[in-house]
Amino acid sequence: MANTLPDDADTIAIALPSRPEADMAVARQVAEVFNHMLGDGRSVIDPAVTVWTAAAAEDLRRRIEDNPLIGPDAGQWDKLELQLAGASRDVVLMAAELVFLREQPVSNASPATRRQHLTRVLNLAEPVPEIPEWMNDALDRPSGDAGFAGNQGYNGRLWLHLIWAATFVREWRGLSDEERRGAVGHPWQVQQIMLDIGDGTPDIRNAMLFLAFPDVFEPISSVNMKTQIRTGLADRIGGASGVDAQSLDRDLLAIRASLAAEIAEPFHFWTPNVRAMWDTVKPPKPTVDEPRPRHHWLYSPGAQASEWDSFRAEGIMALGWDEVGDLAGYPDREAIRVDLAAASGSTSSLKNDVLCLWQFQNEIAVGDVVYAKRGRRELVGRGEVISEARFEPERGQFRHVRSVNWTHVGSWVHPGDAAVKTLTDITSYRDYVGNLEALFAGEEDDDHEEVELVTPPPSYSREAFLDEVYVTEDAYERLRGLLLRKKNVILAGPPGVGKTFAARRLAFSIMGAKDLPRVQMVQFHQSYSYEDFMMGYRPTESGGFTLAEGPFYRFCEEARKDDVNRPYFFIIDEINRGNISKILGELLMLIEADKRGQELRLLYKNEKFSVPPNVHIIGMMNTADRSLAVLDYALRRRFGFFHMAPGFDSNGFTSWQQSVQSPALDALIGVILDLNRAITADPALGPGFAVGHSYLSAPPDDELADEWLYSVVEDELVPLLDEYWFDEPDVAQKWSTRLRGAIA
């Protein structure tokens, strides 16, 4: 588009030579579309048709916005085809040219993808028009050479982009001829007209402004990226001039002019030497220092334990597959698979072999227990790992080695059939591990060396809790006191307030350490029973039944063996999903604080049982789950209830938020705070349905990514709102639009 830009002419003239030619070329390729869109209204694909009219724009908007086809059943391009079905030729051509404009500045879109999308829309026109030669040239532009990288947020918002563009065309055509002629060559006037129709979809507005006025606007679609750049370089222009969109773009233009006086070559704001000026290093995401529990492994020392005598004498466990070399040099399992396949000439997946090597090198830890087996029916030893993995090239074979303190050597009948794999992590099979440990109880090898294997659990304090869990100091003291007094508490709150996270850390803070053996968790559900929780008869492979102890019984017995002053914590997730009377049985009385130590005869066993006084129970309850019944009053009397609210205003969360310095995160949190006020005020919902801070507590990578925020909004928050306001879709749509606009 040939522009005469009287506004800020000097600044534009200074900044213009600094703009990369490839970006300017991208905009020049589509100038003809803007000339007709803002001028005579004719189509560039079929010049005989006038497409840029208020009526056609309103029809396009109506077809998409009034028929959004929400749901995962079809992709956005399939939905667009359905929405345009039966549309007039001018509407289809308008949609096609908008699709062309929308994807023209996206640097990471391939030519094939851009062409495919345009063709899909044009195929809805009758007759199907040919693509002009100049447009073919534009579509063939290689990816990666200009424009901006379209992230998941931009690429996935086709319907919102078309709604916004159609609305702009409708409003533009609603202006008088004099108003249009006065604005057409003035970028700030055109931008203001765009802003007047609403600021809910700024990414497509930014893309269109760049294409229409590349002398003035940056090839950046994200408001948050623009804000971050402006924040980092605002001191060059005496500070930011305002918070509105037009001030932001004017400031960026002035910043570019300032930099152009110092940088001889054309540049982007993400050109390395320029980016270093504004892109401050973000702090790493909050890390969760979870202690690792002891694992138990089933291991074959060679085929049919052929190497057992040698390994036992050397005090090692070892693996073959020597041809892959030192496993420490492999970054992932796929790298092992590639080399192993090349060395062996195998075309199979080698899944078990690769997993065995990876776990031996990376997942076994000092202190883990290893059971050596011969075949599927015999155990020949038990040991404890005392070294990291190492590669010993001087060995003739079995060069992947770990040192093991073999505490038991002999022959034991394996209960049932053992896994045939060389190495199997059996940690999660608690009953199985318990049966294996029972085989070796009291039969320790007299010759084994006593070695302290398991490192002390890391300490954990009240201060650590307040740093990681977003509650106030007073709330923590009240919760801690409640649990110690009542012995049983329920953490109740809406989704995303970190109930499970808080439960474990509450236990750690009271123990003073992350001592995992003294913490256990189960989850209740509608089919959970007393037999699952406490004890009951279970079928055996032979067709009979055996009495099996449940997790709560075993946990209480372990706590009973310990000092009464050393607290243990049993955590129950989704406690209100289970049938409490059915699950707890006689325990409903025994868990009361003043009944600890009192005994009752068990239902399935001829023995008396009590809940030790050092066992504490922490339950979690989601207050936003409509499918759950009100809790049993008997349970309410035995538990203290602590309501967990979203912690966006807590010292811990606000400190982390400030350290991240992300405009996108800040904007999204602001909308969520407004949303929570609306949810709380809604008589059908209330504070128990508020959106919790855990949705935004930490990104998956070291840096806060736009893709992560987009996924949080689209894949977590929007579906949640659709459920909350399933009978008021307009309300859900309003808040969904605000959430999406915050991260655009």
Side-chain angles (χ1 to χ4, degrees):
M1 179 178 182
N3 297 315
T4 56
L5 305 173
D7 305 287
D8 305 309
D10 291 341
T11 305
I12 293 169
I14 296 171
L16 184 58
S18 70
R19 297 189 182 276
E21 170 56 25
D23 286 337
M24 303 300 289
V26 166
R28 283 197 299 268
Q29 285 179 320
V30 300
E32 191 69 14
V33 183
F34 282 103
N35 282 334
H36 292 300
M37 177 197 294
L38 304 182
D40 61 19
R42 289 186 294 109
S43 167
V44 295
I45 296 176
D46 185 353
V49 181
T50 299
V51 298
W52 303 108
T53 66
E58 173 57 19
D59 189 28
L60 178 60
R61 183 212 62 77
R62 177 185 58 78
R63 286 174 172 274
I64 300 174
E65 188 169 16
D66 296 353
N67 182 30
L69 300 179
I70 293 174
D73 296 338
Q76 60 178 356
W77 295 96
D78 298 319
K79 292 177 182 178
L80 181 60
E81 288 180 341
L82 294 173
Q83 290 161 332
L84 292 179
S88 60
R89 186 176 180 79
D90 56 342
V91 171
V92 174
L93 289 173
M94 177 189 290
E97 293 182 26
L98 288 174
V99 164
F100 172 67
L101 287 176
R102 173 183 182 268
E103 301 196 348
Q104 173 70 357
V106 179
S107 63
N108 54 342
S110 70
T113 298
R114 292 197 296 266
R115 185 177 298 278
Q116 178 192 29
H117 291 164
L118 178 62
T119 302
R120 286 188 70 164
V121 180
L122 287 179
N123 284 341
L124 300 174
E126 290 292 342
V128 177
E130 291 186 6
I131 299 175
E133 184 176 351
W134 68 267
M135 188 176 281
N136 274 316
D137 292 340
L139 292 170
D140 289 338
R141 175 178 60 83
S143 58
D145 67 341
F148 57 83
N151 60 20
Q152 186 179 1
Y154 185 92
N155 295 333
R157 305 176 74 187
L158 171 67
W159 66 294
L160 290 173
H161 291 172
L162 291 180
I163 291 170
W164 178 88
T167 303
F168 166 69
V169 172
R170 183 191 66 192
E171 296 304 307
W172 177 262
R173 288 296 162 182
L175 300 174
S176 67
D177 291 343
E178 183 179 355
E179 288 173 320
R180 288 200 300 272
R181 284 194 299 270
V184 71
H186 294 71
W188 307 118
Q189 292 184 34
V190 174
Q191 182 186 41
Q192 189 57 56
I193 294 168
M194 291 180 173
L195 289 170
D196 288 343
I197 66 175
D199 199 23
T201 319
D203 53 351
I204 188 63
R205 183 190 71 235
N206 286 332
M208 291 291 191
L209 284 170
F210 157 66
L211 291 175
F213 304 101
D215 300 6
V216 177
F217 296 98
E218 296 295 327
I220 303 173
S221 65
S222 169
V223 172
N224 300 307
M225 175 63 76
K226 288 186 174 185
T227 303
Q228 188 177 353
I229 294 170
R230 198 260 304 265
T231 300
L233 296 172
D235 58 337
R236 301 186 68 91
I237 57 171
S241 63
V243 297
D244 59 289
Q246 194 161 107
S247 296
L248 177 59
D249 285 314
R250 285 181 179 271
D251 287 350
L252 288 177
L253 177 62
I255 289 170
R256 175 173 282 279
S258 171
L259 292 172
E262 303 172 9
I263 302 174
E265 300 296 324
F267 61 84
H268 294 290
F269 277 109
W270 47 92
T271 298
N273 61 323
V274 177
R275 183 168 187 168
M277 299 179 186
W278 60 266
D279 192 7
T280 56
V281 177
K282 296 181 177 69
K285 71 172 183 177
T287 56
V288 178
D289 180 23
E290 288 284 7
R292 178 189 181 278
R294 169 179 279 187
H295 282 221
H296 295 74
W297 303 85
L298 198 61
Y299 162 69
S300 178
Q304 290 297 313
S306 60
E307 308 300 317
W308 171 238
D309 291 339
S310 172
F311 289 177
R312 180 197 61 186
E314 293 182 70
I316 64 170
M317 63 186 298
L319 297 180
W321 295 288
D322 302 323
E323 62 272 21
V324 299
D326 191 349
L327 295 171
Y330 288 92
D332 51 41
R333 280 187 273 181
E334 176 60 17
I336 296 176
R337 188 198 66 77
V338 170
D339 281 4
L340 190 59
S344 64
S346 173
T347 58
S348 65
S349 70
L350 302 171
K351 180 174 64 175
N352 287 337
D353 297 351
V354 171
L355 178 62
C356 175
L357 290 168
W358 179 262
Q359 290 181 322
F360 184 88
Q361 177 69 30
N362 299 286
E363 296 184 12
I364 294 178
V366 172
D368 284 359
V369 174
V370 180
Y371 306 102
K373 67 184 179 73
R374 176 182 284 119
R376 304 189 67 180
R377 293 285 183 170
E378 182 185 5
L379 295 172
V380 294
R382 176 194 181 276
E384 296 171 339
V385 179
I386 58 174
S387 82
E388 300 295 339
R390 61 187 182 273
F391 185 66
E392 298 185 355
E394 67 278 4
R395 294 177 63 87
Q397 57 180 347
F398 294 96
R399 297 171 179 171
H400 308 291
V401 180
R402 281 181 179 269
S403 297
V404 177
N405 180 34
W406 293 109
T407 58
H408 301 73
V409 175
S411 178
W412 295 264
V413 176
H414 183 278
D417 288 335
V420 298
K421 295 190 299 181
T422 300
L423 186 68
T424 306
D425 186 353
I426 59 173
T427 308
S428 60
Y429 304 100
R430 297 175 66 92
D431 289 340
Y432 180 31
V433 171
N435 291 337
L436 294 184
E437 286 292 272
L439 288 177
F440 299 100
E443 296 189 20
E444 192 164 290
D445 185 3
D446 293 335
D447 296 329
H448 92 278
E449 179 185 358
E450 286 290 342
V451 180
E452 182 62 35
L453 295 169
V454 182
T455 58
S459 61
Y460 194 86
S461 64
R462 169 184 180 275
E463 290 70 27
F465 179 93
L466 292 171
D467 185 54
E468 291 188 320
V469 181
Y470 299 140
V471 300
T472 64
E473 294 184 34
D474 290 343
Y476 168 74
E477 294 298 341
R478 183 165 62 86
L479 175 58
R480 183 179 185 276
L482 179 64
L483 179 57
L484 293 177
R485 175 174 61 85
K486 290 284 290 185
K487 302 289 187 181
N488 317 305
V489 300
I490 287 179
L491 305 181
V497 293
K499 297 182 287 294
T500 304
F501 186 83
R504 289 167 62 85
R505 271 141 188 80
L506 175 62
F508 294 158
S509 70
I510 295 174
M511 292 187 294
K514 293 183 176 181
D515 194 355
L516 285 187
R518 290 195 279 155
V519 180
Q520 185 170 339
M521 179 182 292
V522 299
Q523 185 180 70
F524 282 1
H525 51 78
Q526 287 87 342
S527 300
Y528 206 77
S529 67
Y530 179 91
E531 289 75 14
D532 299 313
F533 187 65
M534 189 64 181
M535 68 171 53
Y537 284 100
R538 299 288 181 85
T540 64
E541 293 182 358
S542 62
F545 290 87
T546 185
L547 185 62
E549 297 166 350
F552 189 72
Y553 178 90
R554 291 194 300 266
F555 189 77
C556 287
E557 292 306 297
E558 288 299 315
R560 201 185 315 278
K561 297 174 188 176
D562 208 338
D563 189 315
V564 70
N565 294 316
R566 277 171 51 85
Y568 282 63
F569 298 87
F570 196 87
I571 300 174
I572 304 173
D573 193 18
E574 305 284 5
I575 192 170
N576 55 333
R577 282 189 173 273
N579 183 327
I580 301 300
S581 299
K582 174 185 173 184
I583 295 172
L584 296 185
E586 66 272 11
L587 299 176
L588 196 59
M589 184 191 83
L590 298 180
I591 63 173
E592 288 190 67
D594 60 353
K595 303 294 193 301
R596 296 300 179 90
Q598 294 188 19
E599 296 181 330
L600 282 179
R601 191 169 300 279
L602 294 176
L603 178 64
Y604 284 100
K605 203 171 185 180
N606 188 24
E607 71 173 49
K608 290 186 177 180
F609 177 82
S610 66
V611 177
N614 59 338
V615 169
H616 302 75
I617 300 174
I618 305 174
M620 282 90 74
M621 186 176 96
N622 186 351
T623 54
D625 196 327
R626 301 176 191 264
S627 66
L628 303 180
V630 177
L631 277 177
D632 192 308
Y633 282 113
L635 184 70
R636 285 186 173 274
R637 185 169 61 82
R638 288 162 171 81
F639 280 78
F641 279 72
F642 183 87
H643 181 75
M644 292 190 67
F648 293 110
D649 58 350
S650 66
N651 291 336
F653 187 88
T654 53
S655 295
W656 175 75
Q657 178 187 348
Q658 291 168 3
S659 69
V660 171
Q661 296 182 353
S662 167
L665 179 66
D666 295 343
L668 186 56
I669 290 171
V671 174
I672 290 176
L673 291 175
D674 291 343
L675 171 63
N676 281 344
R677 284 188 280 270
I679 290 173
T680 300
D682 191 320
L685 297 173
F689 290 77
V691 174
H693 56 267
S694 293
Y695 285 101
L696 299 176
S697 288
D701 301 311
D702 287 342
E703 292 189 357
L704 193 68
D706 287 346
E707 289 80 1
W708 169 66
L709 290 177
Y710 174 80
S711 180
V712 169
V713 170
E714 291 295 334
D715 304 326
E716 299 181 61
L717 297 182
V718 169
L720 183 69
L721 300 186
D722 288 340
E723 180 182 341
Y724 281 2
W725 283 299
F726 67 94
D727 54 349
E728 296 182 80
D730 291 344
V731 177
Q733 183 61 44
K734 180 189 78 171
W735 284 107
S736 297
T737 299
R738 284 197 61 185
L739 291 171
R740 288 166 173 143
I743 60 171

